[in-house]
Structures are given as C-alpha cells and as structure tokens.
Amino acid sequence: MPDQIAGLPELRGDCARCFGLCCVALPFAASADFALDKPAGKPCPNLQGDHRCGIHADLRKKGFTGCTVYDCFGAGQKVSQVTFGGRDWRAGSKEHAREMFDVFPVVRQLHELLWYLTEALGLPAARPVHPELRGALEETERLTRLTPEELAALDVAAHRQQVNVLLLRTSELARAQVADAKSGKKGKGNGKGKGRDRRGADLIGARLRGADLRGASLRGAYLIAADLTGADLRDADMIGADLRDADLSDADLTGAFFLTQPQLNAARGNTGTRLPASVTRPAHWTTGR
C-alpha cells in the first residue's frame, strides 16, 4: 500500500507551530505513565515559556512515558494557527484560553478520523467505498475548520459513528482478500471470507508468539503485555488495539492498517519488526533480540 499519510504533514504533530496545547489542555494522573497529577487546563510544570518541554530528551527517565506515547495527529497546530489564528492562550483572557483547551480535544478526534480515512483511500481493496470515503474525508476536514463556538457544540461522537461504518466496511473488504487467498479463492474479495474477528478480545498477556493473525480484525482488542514476538500481523485491522507493553519484536505488520504511531510508541519492538510505511520505528525500541 502506498503511504498516503507521508505526504500529509498536517496529520502529524508539529510542536513548533503549536502552543503546547497537549501539555496544558489535557489532564493526567500520577501513574506508571506520569510522575505527577495535573488537572485539565493547568500547564505541566515542565512546560517552558516558549511552549517547549524542558525535559523532552529525558521524558521516559523522569517518569513521563505517557508523553512519549501521545500524538495529536496535527490537531495542535490546526487549533493554534487556524482555529485561533495564531493567538497564544498565554496572551489572551482566561475565557480565550479555556475555549482553546475545550476545542483542542474535539479537533484531535477529527484529525484522527482524517488519518483513518486517508489511509482507507489508499487501500485498493476498498475501491467500492472510495466515493463514500472521499465524502467523509471532505466533511471531516470541513468540520475541523469550524469556528471555536461551533466546534465546542459539535457532536463529534455522532460523526465518529458515521465514519466508523465506512471504516468497518473498508476493513471487511481489505481482510477478505487475505482470507480468500488463504482458502484458495484468490481474487474474490467480496467480504465473505473475512479473516478472524477478534474485535474487543481480552488478550492481555496472551502468548501469541509466532501466531498467524494475517487479515485478523483486532479492533479494540486488549493486547496489553501480549507476547507477539514473530507474529504474522500482515493486513490486520489494528484500529483501537491496545498495544501497551506488547512485544512486537520480529513481528510482521506489513500492510497492517489503521495502525497509529501512538500505538507503536506504547509497544515494544526491535529492528526485526516489519512496519507499514505510514508509521516510524520508535526510538526507544531495541536494536535486536
């Protein structure tokens, strides 16, 4: 699959064009992911006056692993530079800052949908629904450009549900080709031979070393700390799969779709892990076994 995402830098976080929104707008609690509690709307103590993180190079060492996993899909710069026209929350009124912090999570959800829709349009098997996907992409992009007041009032959950119907159909079409190939019905691609459906499955700590999960649906599956060493995840649907601390060493995720950078950042892997072109190998992954 060609990397549809690579040519769209607006769907990747650009901290240089953002006012540190994720470091202020979002709350976090002291845990294995964060070293302290912080309520929504309060700046992280590590946030500097220039909106840069003072411990960016040492986040994991200092107990802020959660920060290294998070990605806004480009919503930060959209809200900072487009929605609010480059007006810094520090320089405006409290009402202005609060409005910006309320809008940011909404646009972040919309940008995540843009990521999925863009990737879906790059899947040849999804051609039957490409017109609907393009329409959804255009509508989602339009929504990201609403006024702050309109965004705050947007029923983003309802829009996500509409888009999800299309993403489900995309998944069925893409995975059907794998299932048909396995069964010797190459070229059918009618959606009836879908790969194994493990949507929402509890696979926490599961021993899946070397497992054949080609074309499987792992939508929303709990794969926390699962051993997926050497697993075959080619052309699997990974949307919403919880990969925290999952071991993807030497696993093959070639062609896996709806896989995001935050999911990989939360997992473990090595140089032997094969990835789709839309994501990059996390810096903290090991160099070998």
Side-chain angles (χ1 to χ4, degrees), residues 179-216:
D180 290 341
K182 284 183 178 181
S183 63
K185 300 176 182 178
K186 187 175 181 180
K188 295 290 183 180
N190 57 12
K192 296 181 179 179
K194 296 175 293 191
R196 196 173 357 171
D197 191 342
R198 303 304 302 273
R199 282 184 290 179
D202 184 352
L203 298 171
I204 297 175
R207 297 178 179 177
L208 297 169
R209 179 181 289 259
D212 182 358
L213 294 168
R214 286 175 295 165

Side-chain angles (χ1 to χ4, degrees), residues 50-268:
D50 61 355
H51 303 298
R52 298 293 182 269
C53 175
I55 61 168
H56 187 267
D58 300 306
L59 283 168
R60 287 182 173 270
K61 292 179 182 178
K62 293 185 178 294
F64 288 87
T65 300
C67 296
T68 68
V69 171
Y70 182 79
D71 188 279
C72 72
F73 295 98
Q77 63 259 31
K78 173 68 74 64
V79 173
S80 298
Q81 304 301 328
V82 178
T83 312
F84 287 89
R87 288 178 291 137
D88 188 344
W89 57 268
R90 292 182 189 270
S93 65
K94 289 184 178 180
E95 291 71 22
H96 166 73
R98 184 167 58 249
E99 190 174 41
M100 184 177 280
F101 301 154
D102 288 342
V103 164
F104 172 63
V106 175
V107 178
R108 196 269 184 191
Q109 291 190 63
L110 294 174
H111 267 236
E112 183 178 5
L113 291 178
L114 288 176
W115 176 285
Y116 294 139
L117 288 165
T118 300
E119 185 171 3
L121 282 166
L123 293 169
R127 283 197 183 95
V129 291
H130 275 187
E132 291 92 336
L133 288 168
R134 289 193 192 94
L137 181 70
E138 292 171 2
E139 174 61 10
T140 304
E141 174 59 31
R142 184 190 72 80
L143 292 176
T144 69
R145 297 182 179 277
L146 293 176
T147 66
E149 295 77 16
E150 291 170 328
L151 283 166
L154 180 66
D155 187 348
V156 70
H159 183 66
R160 286 187 71 101
Q161 183 56 40
Q162 293 174 359
V163 172
N164 191 52
V165 172
L166 291 174
L167 297 181
L168 277 169
R169 182 56 182 153
T170 296
S171 175
E172 291 171 352
L173 290 168
R175 294 185 300 108
Q177 289 195 337
V178 180
D180 290 341
K182 284 183 178 181
S183 63
K185 300 176 182 178
K186 187 175 181 180
K188 295 290 183 180
N190 57 12
K192 296 181 179 179
K194 296 175 293 191
R196 196 173 357 171
D197 191 342
R198 303 304 302 273
R199 282 184 290 179
D202 184 352
L203 298 171
I204 297 175
R207 297 178 179 177
L208 297 169
R209 179 181 289 259
D212 182 358
L213 294 168
R214 286 175 295 165
S217 174
L218 293 168
R219 298 171 66 90
Y222 296 95
L223 288 158
I224 302 169
D227 182 3
L228 289 160
T229 303
D232 190 344
L233 291 156
R234 286 176 291 170
D235 300 298
D237 181 349
M238 303 298 293
I239 197 167
D242 193 336
L243 295 173
R244 283 178 292 170
D245 204 35
D247 192 347
L248 296 172
S249 298
D250 300 322
D252 190 350
L253 289 98
T254 306
F257 52 95
F258 302 149
L259 176 69
T260 66
Q261 197 63 48
Q263 287 173 294
L264 283 183
N265 291 347
R268 293 179 289 130

Side-chain angles (χ1 to χ4, degrees), residues 21-28 38-42 70 101 104-105 108:
L21 294 182
C22 64
C23 305
V24 188
L26 307 179
F28 51 74
K38 187 194 81 64
K42 180 180 180 181
Y70 182 79
F101 301 154
F104 172 63
R108 196 269 184 191

